[in-house]
Amino acid sequence: ERRSEAVFAYAPKNDFSQFEPRNEKWGANFPREFESYYQTSDTIFRSKYNGSATIDELEEDPRMVVLWAGYGFSKEYNQGRGHYYAVEDVRNILRTGAPNDSVKSPMPNTCWTCKSPDVPRMMNEVGIAEFYKGSWEKWGAEIVNPIGCADCHDVNTMQLRISRPALIEAFERQGKDISKATHQEMRSLVCAQCHVEYYFNKKKIEGVPYLTFPWDNGMTVEAAEEYYDNMNFSDWTHKLSKAPMLKAQHPGYETYLTGVHAERGVSCADCHMPYKSQGGVKFTDHHIQSPLNNVANSCQVCHREEAHKLIADVYSRQDKIKENVNILEDLLVKAHVEAKAAWDNGANEEQMQAILMDIRHAQWRWDYSVAAHGASFHSPVETGRIVSSGINIAQEARIKLTRLLADLGHNKEVEIPDISTKAKAQEYIGLDMATLNSDKEEFLGTVVPQWLEEASQRESKY
Amino acid sequence: ERRSEAVFAYAPKNDFSQFEPRNEKWGANFPREFESYYQTSDTIFRSKYNGSATIDELEEDPRMVVLWAGYGFSKEYNQGRGHYYAVEDVRNILRTGAPNDSVKSPMPNTCWTCKSPDVPRMMNEVGIAEFYKGSWEKWGAEIVNPIGCADCHDVNTMQLRISRPALIEAFERQGKDISKATHQEMRSLVCAQCHVEYYFNKKKIEGVPYLTFPWDNGMTVEAAEEYYDNMNFSDWTHKLSKAPMLKAQHPGYETYLTGVHAERGVSCADCHMPYKSQGGVKFTDHHIQSPLNNVANSCQVCHREEAHKLIADVYSRQDKIKENVNILEDLLVKAHVEAKAAWDNGANEEQMQAILMDIRHAQWRWDYSVAAHGASFHSPVETGRIVSSGINIAQEARIKLTRLLADLGHNKEVEIPDISTKAKAQEYIGLDMATLNSDKEEFLGTVVPQWLEEASQRESKY
Amino acid sequence: MSILKKILPPDKWKIPVIIVSAILLGLFFFLFYVSNASSYLSDDPKTCVNCHIMAPQYATWMHSSHREWANCNDCHVPHNNVFNKYYFKGKDGMRHASIFTMRAEPQVIQIKEEGHHVVQQNCIRCHSNLITDAKMNTIHGDFHSDRTDRTCWECHREVPHGRVNSLSSTPNAKVPLPESPVPDWLKEALKETKK
Ligand SMILES: [Ca+2]
Ligand SMILES: [Ca+2]
């Protein structure tokens, strides 16, 4: 009889603490969840725009190199893959640089925050601000386990749990108490610890790039923009246009909230962690991935439609949004290059100011609508709205630039350089990729093995 | 007892022909359908953007006056109301002018085509081309019954029937046979006889403005645009910008086809003519109207959601689309006025050509996305896509205009006139509203009563 | 005795009250009979279709995998104890019967809050093995309530009635025709009089 399987399936025995970072430890008690979690190491599935394979976004679309000129993302940016790779990927990416005894990483420790269950452990040990402080190599030997059980679960009850302070603090500043969230809301809020737009607030505590979510004025793209504008915040100054730029990072939760699924109470877990039955027990599939690789359990329980039709629905929404995202991207490249031409032709700060704010706002909208990768399905109408307004603002910038360039004696189209490949685009913005790559290789071959060694010694003593 | 109701509900007795235009005649056999049809005379309901009340669109949004300068729509345009008013409204509207013995209507007889079951009758009597030919007053005494039974039904079986040649011909040119349509498709195709984008083809038969649907290259906004561009068609030349314009007329069916409801086989009738039971008999509610005035029987059949939530869903989609439609409208006003300034500053045809094509294409997209009134709910993602691309093109026109104006020595913003009311806007584009209105009044007081008198004499002899 | 006194009407009202009560009782039985309300006491799904209004639900259930396992009352009537079962049946049955007879039924029937709760409990009753897990319950205090805090048909939207919920959504379905409450002799007699 299969029903009995359920009874003997496991014997809960938690002989470890809330801050146990090793998924295997938790997994021993929950083999179904652990085994399915482990499948996030699979990198085979590729959908039309997403999937678990690594996609070199800059190679696919070299215009992004120009959009991010002067910022780390122009060095390397990949479409994200499974949780299993979170730590590996943050080490591998050129953005974190190649720290060693004499060179520091260009990134702060805050970058570890969303990559590992070692994070709550360390925050518990050293304190939140202390954790964020300093450059990224500081915790290299501490953060080694990829995203896992302790990030989302309570050790005693296995209930969902918010482990990251940034989300709790953001709720507090909005006057909401996250501990009052319903169970169903928690099935999305655990994801909202990481799949959200964020910035590093350097004014909260002197010298600490404090992880903060820009939600104080509301959760829309405009509310966050206003928030940043009011505090004069910018992530970097664009190398070509000199615009004070914002980087939008995966506002997955925010855009999801504006879609019809959220409106109807469908949670992230409903689609990305659907139930699965095995041995007479329904459990939560921890193979978090594109639902298009699992239409039967995710979509089809709610939608009795053939799988290929549901997939076609997703693609058709993505196609319709991407069409205009593409246009917007072209306009932004032009705007940056034209702004550079204006500076080169002698424009002054005052003449450029309104133009640069337009560029900032237009690119913010572009980034906001693509960075989360799921938005054009999660909320196609809202995403379309954002892209539309982005196109309008980018073109306003270009109208002003045309007028200014004419004033400066250059009344004709500005030539756009050849940026048809990643390599050409990176050369155009003046990146020395050879050095960056070889330094990284060196770092991965020497520093990282030391970190791992140190960590395994430490963990062996738990 | 109620069981019998189903059996004895009606005894069809058609002592009249397929071309009987009087709804009362058909209605005698089908009192339920007739009575509900008659409710389209109700003009009380008003939703956020639609409803059955007459809304003076030009008063609500005077920018449209400028967009349509040089075209009849700038004189008067109302948000449509119930089928009951179709004939009355086409007489009342300033666009059809004030014909009398010495003055002809500016409109052709084709304008009657979608207003009355007298149309199939006349087409049967005089032939299709002959029906379309000549100016609009010709059939004034013939077309008197508002949209009704003979437009959609077969007299013998009461099955749905396509009564208008334009739809059949459009299918044929696409290589499709409309008589093969399924029953469920027919529940939308009867509407597609009228709720579609159309134009008057003057080349098919010399001297006849032949009603034609621009679907030969496909049903999308781009396919129709390409169709018109290839044949160098334009509805009128814009009075300010001199652009060769297209008027998009209510592409309701075309945009509906791109939405998720059509994708799932939901027909127009499912929402606008839901079933209703009365005395144990199910019948089709012929009170065609905004479903927001009847959420319980339309939406809630499929969506177990509270009515106020469903209405909020509709409004939120409409709001998101309208936000950018508004932007696009502003841009188009500017583009027309700036183009005028370019002409005034001595621009030549060659310099203007690309600009005018951009204006044509951008306004076409604006019109296509709003003219059908339902599109921002029927297909919000596609409508958003169209508006986005419209914004891009309108701004491209304005960039070119900026450069051209600079060349012509006018390198600054062009002033936009005060068009804050319908009256001001109409004055700006040079319309003599006083005369138009008094002529119309005269016409309605003298000519129309004659038509009605003639018609009632004729009908009394049937 | 004192209670009876309070309930019984004053003497001078006795006759009228008896008459009115008799009429009410008669009407009640008439309603009970004509509307086939007695069918609520049975478990046979056919009896639910005594109202043509139930036809769409019958037809969709007929085509569902539950047909072989669960009849209407398995889902729509409480099964926690016998009293509750018949109390609920009686209460619901009389309300539906009255609404039906008075022709006040809405076009689109929607399950009421109370009935909704009953169904949910029945889903859980049959599927408890699958949805909750004895071991999980022991460490995870809220596991059972977490697994059952949304209605099952929020996800299983087609179980068992499909999604289209209108009186007219299954126009051609074969539904057992209700037996007429008009006796055959009366029908014959009526036929005679028509001739
Ligand atoms: Ca991915
Ligand atoms: Ca209307």
Side-chain angles (χ1 to χ4, degrees), chain C residues 43 69-77 79 118-119 122-123 125-126:
Chain C
D43 274 345
W69 304 96
N71 61 40
C72 313
N73 287 333
D74 284 331
C75 287
H76 287 289
V77 164
H79 287 266
V118 168
V119 176
N122 282 320
C123 306
R125 179 175 57 90
C126 290

Short mmCIF file of all heavy atoms in Angstrom, two decimals, chain C residues 43 69-77 79 118-119 122-123 125-126:
data_model
loop_
_atom_site.label_atom_id
_atom_site.label_comp_id
_atom_site.label_asym_id
_atom_site.label_seq_id
_atom_site.Cartn_x
_atom_site.Cartn_y
_atom_site.Cartn_z
N ASP C 43 -29.30 10.54 -1.96
CA ASP C 43 -27.92 10.77 -2.36
C ASP C 43 -27.74 10.59 -3.85
O ASP C 43 -26.64 10.72 -4.38
CB ASP C 43 -26.96 9.80 -1.63
CG ASP C 43 -26.55 10.35 -0.27
OD1 ASP C 43 -26.77 11.56 -0.04
OD2 ASP C 43 -26.01 9.57 0.53
N TRP C 69 -16.60 8.16 -7.96
CA TRP C 69 -16.17 8.17 -6.57
C TRP C 69 -17.01 9.04 -5.66
O TRP C 69 -17.18 8.74 -4.48
CB TRP C 69 -14.72 8.66 -6.47
CG TRP C 69 -13.79 7.86 -7.31
CD1 TRP C 69 -13.37 8.15 -8.57
CD2 TRP C 69 -13.20 6.61 -6.97
NE1 TRP C 69 -12.55 7.16 -9.03
CE2 TRP C 69 -12.42 6.20 -8.08
CE3 TRP C 69 -13.25 5.78 -5.82
CZ2 TRP C 69 -11.69 5.02 -8.08
CZ3 TRP C 69 -12.53 4.61 -5.83
CH2 TRP C 69 -11.76 4.22 -6.96
N ALA C 70 -17.49 10.12 -6.19
CA ALA C 70 -18.15 11.08 -5.32
C ALA C 70 -19.44 11.57 -5.96
O ALA C 70 -19.44 12.01 -7.10
CB ALA C 70 -17.22 12.28 -5.07
N ASN C 71 -20.55 11.45 -5.23
CA ASN C 71 -21.79 12.02 -5.74
C ASN C 71 -21.97 13.42 -5.17
O ASN C 71 -21.15 13.88 -4.38
CB ASN C 71 -22.98 11.10 -5.43
CG ASN C 71 -23.17 10.90 -3.94
OD1 ASN C 71 -23.03 11.85 -3.17
ND2 ASN C 71 -23.48 9.69 -3.53
N CYS C 72 -23.02 14.07 -5.58
CA CYS C 72 -23.18 15.47 -5.18
C CYS C 72 -23.06 15.66 -3.68
O CYS C 72 -22.37 16.56 -3.20
CB CYS C 72 -24.54 16.02 -5.61
SG CYS C 72 -24.97 15.64 -7.31
N ASN C 73 -23.74 14.77 -2.96
CA ASN C 73 -23.76 14.97 -1.52
C ASN C 73 -22.43 14.66 -0.85
O ASN C 73 -22.15 15.16 0.23
CB ASN C 73 -24.89 14.15 -0.89
CG ASN C 73 -26.23 14.80 -1.20
OD1 ASN C 73 -26.30 16.01 -1.41
ND2 ASN C 73 -27.28 13.99 -1.25
N ASP C 74 -21.60 13.86 -1.52
CA ASP C 74 -20.27 13.62 -0.94
C ASP C 74 -19.51 14.93 -0.82
O ASP C 74 -18.67 15.10 0.05
CB ASP C 74 -19.47 12.64 -1.81
CG ASP C 74 -19.93 11.21 -1.61
OD1 ASP C 74 -20.41 10.90 -0.51
OD2 ASP C 74 -19.81 10.40 -2.56
N CYS C 75 -19.77 15.83 -1.75
CA CYS C 75 -19.08 17.12 -1.72
C CYS C 75 -19.91 18.22 -1.06
O CYS C 75 -19.36 19.08 -0.38
CB CYS C 75 -18.72 17.58 -3.13
SG CYS C 75 -17.34 16.64 -3.82
N HIS C 76 -21.20 18.20 -1.31
CA HIS C 76 -21.98 19.38 -0.95
C HIS C 76 -22.70 19.31 0.39
O HIS C 76 -23.42 20.25 0.75
CB HIS C 76 -22.99 19.71 -2.05
CG HIS C 76 -22.32 20.28 -3.27
ND1 HIS C 76 -21.78 21.54 -3.28
CD2 HIS C 76 -22.06 19.76 -4.49
CE1 HIS C 76 -21.24 21.78 -4.48
NE2 HIS C 76 -21.39 20.72 -5.22
N VAL C 77 -22.55 18.22 1.09
CA VAL C 77 -23.22 18.11 2.37
C VAL C 77 -22.17 17.72 3.42
O VAL C 77 -21.28 16.94 3.12
CB VAL C 77 -24.34 17.04 2.26
CG1 VAL C 77 -24.80 16.61 3.62
CG2 VAL C 77 -25.50 17.58 1.44
N HIS C 79 -20.12 15.95 6.20
CA HIS C 79 -20.03 14.54 6.56
C HIS C 79 -19.40 14.34 7.92
O HIS C 79 -18.94 13.26 8.24
CB HIS C 79 -19.26 13.77 5.49
CG HIS C 79 -20.04 13.59 4.23
ND1 HIS C 79 -20.79 12.47 3.99
CD2 HIS C 79 -20.23 14.41 3.18
CE1 HIS C 79 -21.39 12.60 2.81
NE2 HIS C 79 -21.07 13.77 2.29
N VAL C 118 -18.25 23.78 3.19
CA VAL C 118 -18.61 22.36 3.26
C VAL C 118 -17.85 21.57 2.20
O VAL C 118 -17.25 20.53 2.48
CB VAL C 118 -20.14 22.19 3.05
CG1 VAL C 118 -20.49 20.73 2.83
CG2 VAL C 118 -20.89 22.76 4.24
N VAL C 119 -17.82 22.09 0.99
CA VAL C 119 -17.13 21.38 -0.09
C VAL C 119 -15.65 21.22 0.25
O VAL C 119 -15.08 20.14 0.15
CB VAL C 119 -17.30 22.12 -1.44
CG1 VAL C 119 -16.49 21.42 -2.52
CG2 VAL C 119 -18.76 22.18 -1.84
N ASN C 122 -14.91 18.53 2.45
CA ASN C 122 -15.07 17.22 1.82
C ASN C 122 -13.90 16.86 0.92
O ASN C 122 -13.50 15.69 0.85
CB ASN C 122 -16.39 17.15 1.07
CG ASN C 122 -17.55 16.94 2.04
OD1 ASN C 122 -17.42 16.17 3.01
ND2 ASN C 122 -18.65 17.62 1.82
N CYS C 123 -13.36 17.84 0.24
CA CYS C 123 -12.15 17.56 -0.57
C CYS C 123 -11.08 17.02 0.37
O CYS C 123 -10.41 16.03 0.09
CB CYS C 123 -11.58 18.82 -1.22
SG CYS C 123 -12.70 19.76 -2.23
N ARG C 125 -11.45 15.70 3.27
CA ARG C 125 -11.83 14.41 3.85
C ARG C 125 -11.33 13.27 2.98
O ARG C 125 -10.74 12.30 3.45
CB ARG C 125 -13.35 14.37 4.00
CG ARG C 125 -13.92 13.08 4.57
CD ARG C 125 -15.42 13.21 4.78
NE ARG C 125 -16.15 13.56 3.57
CZ ARG C 125 -16.64 12.65 2.71
NH1 ARG C 125 -16.49 11.37 2.93
NH2 ARG C 125 -17.28 13.06 1.63
N CYS C 126 -11.54 13.38 1.69
CA CYS C 126 -11.15 12.28 0.81
C CYS C 126 -9.66 12.28 0.48
O CYS C 126 -9.07 11.23 0.26
CB CYS C 126 -11.93 12.33 -0.49
SG CYS C 126 -13.66 11.93 -0.27
#
